[in-house]
């Protein structure tokens, strides 16, 4: 989880404040000293930390806070507001050219996941109703074009390739012409990277920029590199000019300092964050939601959006009818487990649930839960069609046969049936027209 270490330290600090009926200046100084250390350990830029703490202290020492009935909560609100501001204030959306054809130029150093991000961006754009087209302009890195071809196939998008040309700007311009001629409305230019910023790289990128006149230049940076990511962002911004940042591997960085520093240092907003290896693991960056997650307050809006993405209206209607007739089967139970997986699995859901201290749920616990899901699927797949649709026939001998078929003990089969019965009983509560009416997420388990 992004910011895991920072999140845990801040939540522990504020737990002490919540327990106090009255706050003194010393209480606030002590808390802010811990906040400062937590931010520095999270690899947040020193100047950024200094300004952040000073701003929080100034607001926290106001009479309205110290004399309020809940001073601890007031301080937490101030920290939340300042975190939102630090992360960019509001969501900076991807913009589209008014001409109807939009070109996005992806730039960055080698190893940041630029080509994979190009695929994720294409998938995101397709969900927005766009028709993306790739331009393979990394003419130096071995197998770079092959990698983009694989990515393009995964997201079902065409890619313009010229293996003979050694001039990146010519390839980009021809790709743009070809995309427009074939009726595509978006070009994603995958450019070359280097191990570090150098003059040759920048000159080439400037030439590509002049050739295709991108509507937005998006810089891909690796969150795992910490403050180096911020320095890279500053370098690209100064020499090339960028419109936004895509921060990859944010799901794997428990510190997250780069995300907290980059907007303040460069003035450029984070537009997307990479949250996994799959092609749909690219999310718009929302400062207010991220601040809420850091402070352990959950992120219900993102959870609802995940539910919307996986929501299947036809399946939900069928499930509703089955619930009304009390016909919820093991096949339906299996479908609902699939819905959880489609939303990113247990870990992603826990990250977004308010009141759930994700820091106290270890990766081992998450893995155990995912393993149990896999075991339950194996058990259900070992049943006959009749057994899945009519679990009442599952007597002792059938359960023994199912256990042998999936390589699990009979106790696991019994446990699954118990969970199914409990879920069925719970879902009977939804067997109410007034509740079901207008409930958009009734199909999400």
């Amino acid at each position: 989880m992004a910011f895991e270490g920072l999140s845990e330290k801040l939540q522990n600090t504020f737990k002490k404040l919540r327990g106090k009926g009255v706050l003194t200046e010393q209480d606030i100084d002590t808390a802010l000293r811990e906040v400062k250390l937590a931010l520095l350990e999270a690899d947040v830029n020193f100047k950024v930390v200094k300004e952040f703490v000073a701003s929080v202290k100034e607001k926290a020492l106001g009479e309205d806070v110290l004399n309020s009935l809940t001073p601890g909560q007031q301080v937490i609100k101030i920290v939340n507001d300042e975190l939102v501001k630090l992360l960019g204030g509001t969501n900076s959306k991807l913009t589209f050219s008014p001409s109807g054809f939009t070109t996005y130029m992806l730039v960055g150093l080698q190893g940041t996941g630029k080509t994979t991000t190009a695929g994720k961006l294409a998938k995101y754009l397709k969900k927005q109703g766009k028709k993306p087209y790739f331009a393979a302009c990394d003419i130096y890195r071995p197998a770079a074009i092959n990698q983009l071809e694989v990515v393009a196939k995964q997201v079902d998008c065409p890619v313009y390739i010229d293996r003979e040309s050694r001039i990146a700007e010519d390839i980009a311009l021809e790709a743009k012409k070809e995309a427009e001629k074939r009726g595509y409305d978006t070009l994603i230019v995958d450019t070359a990277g280097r191990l570090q910023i150098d003059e040759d790289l920048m000159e080439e990128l400037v030439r590509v920029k002049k050739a295709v006149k991108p509507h937005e230049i998006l810089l891909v940076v690796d969150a795992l590199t910490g403050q180096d990511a911020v320095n890279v962002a500053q370098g690209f911004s100064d020499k090339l000019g960028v419109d936004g940042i895509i921060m990859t591997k944010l799901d794997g960085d428990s510190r997250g300092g780069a995300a907290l520093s980059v907007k303040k240092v460069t003035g450029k907003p984070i537009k997307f964050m990479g949250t996994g290896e799959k092609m749909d693991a690219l999310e718009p960056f929302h400062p207010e939601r991220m601040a809420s997650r850091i402070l352990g307050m959950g992120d219900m809006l993102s959870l609802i959006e995940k539910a919307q993405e996986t929501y299947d209206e036809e399946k939900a209607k069928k499930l509703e009818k089955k619930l009304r007739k009390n016909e919820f089967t093991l096949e339906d139970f299996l479908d609902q487990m699939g819905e959880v997986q489609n939303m990113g699995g247990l870990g992603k859901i826990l990250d977004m649930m308010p009141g759930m201290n994700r820091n106290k749920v270890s990766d081992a616990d998450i893995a155990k839960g995912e393993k149990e899901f896999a075991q339950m699927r194996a058990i259900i797949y070992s049943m006959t069609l009749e057994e899945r649709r009519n679990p009442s026939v599952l007597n002792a001998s059938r359960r023994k046969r199912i256990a042998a078929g999936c390589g699990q003990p009979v106790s696991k089969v019994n446990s699954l049936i118990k969970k199914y019965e409990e879920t069925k009983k719970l879902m009977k509560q939804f067997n109410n027209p007034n509740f079901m009416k207008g409930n958009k997420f009734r199909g999400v388990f």
Side-chain angles (χ1 to χ4, degrees), residues 155-175:
V155 295
D156 192 24
C157 288
V159 52
Y160 181 85
I161 295 170
D162 185 345
R163 297 182 189 274
E164 304 300 320
S165 176
R166 308 305 296 172
I167 304 175
E169 60 267 33
D170 288 352
I171 297 172
L173 189 57
E174 288 302 314

Side-chain angles (χ1 to χ4, degrees), residues 7 16 97 116-117 211 246 260 268 274 329 375 389 421 442:
S7 180
K16 299 171 190 174
S97 172
T116 303
T117 299
I246 300 177
L260 281 166
K268 304 302 178 182
T329 69
Q375 288 173 344
R389 294 180 177 176
E421 293 292 349
R442 59 186 177 269

Side-chain angles (χ1 to χ4, degrees), residues 95-247:
T95 61
F96 303 98
S97 172
S99 70
F101 187 91
T102 306
T103 299
Y104 298 110
M105 182 174 163
L106 265 56
V107 300
L109 298 184
Q110 282 183 14
T112 58
K114 186 156 31 65
T115 301
T116 303
T117 299
K120 293 179 180 179
L121 180 61
K123 183 144 190 177
Y124 172 83
L125 289 167
K126 288 181 77 172
K127 289 180 181 178
Q128 310 303 308
K130 300 296 180 181
K131 294 179 64 180
Y133 192 93
F134 291 112
C137 294
D138 185 348
I139 54 177
Y140 306 107
R141 186 168 57 89
I145 294 175
N146 293 342
Q147 184 187 355
L148 184 58
E149 281 185 301
V150 171
V151 166
K153 190 173 182 180
Q154 285 179 304
V155 295
D156 192 24
C157 288
V159 52
Y160 181 85
I161 295 170
D162 185 345
R163 297 182 189 274
E164 304 300 320
S165 176
R166 308 305 296 172
I167 304 175
E169 60 267 33
D170 288 352
I171 297 172
L173 189 57
E174 288 302 314
K176 185 175 181 180
K177 291 176 183 176
E178 185 69 15
E180 289 183 290
K181 186 172 76 174
R182 293 177 58 183
Y184 291 87
D185 56 19
T186 311
L187 179 68
I188 299 173
V189 182
D190 182 31
T191 63
R194 297 283 193 282
L195 294 176
Q196 60 186 18
I197 296 173
D198 61 31
E199 288 303 316
D200 289 342
L201 170 65
M202 286 302 158
E203 285 176 12
E204 179 177 278
L205 294 177
V206 168
R207 291 196 301 270
V208 173
K209 178 182 177 181
K210 286 180 179 177
V212 295
K213 298 177 177 59
H215 187 66
E216 285 198 14
I217 297 178
L218 300 171
L219 172 65
V220 182
V221 296
D222 182 346
L224 295 177
T225 59
Q227 282 310 295
D228 283 344
V230 180
N231 296 334
V232 166
Q234 185 70 68
F236 271 90
S237 182
D238 291 343
K239 296 189 177 184
L240 183 67
V242 298
D243 299 289
I245 293 166
I246 300 177
M247 191 155 286

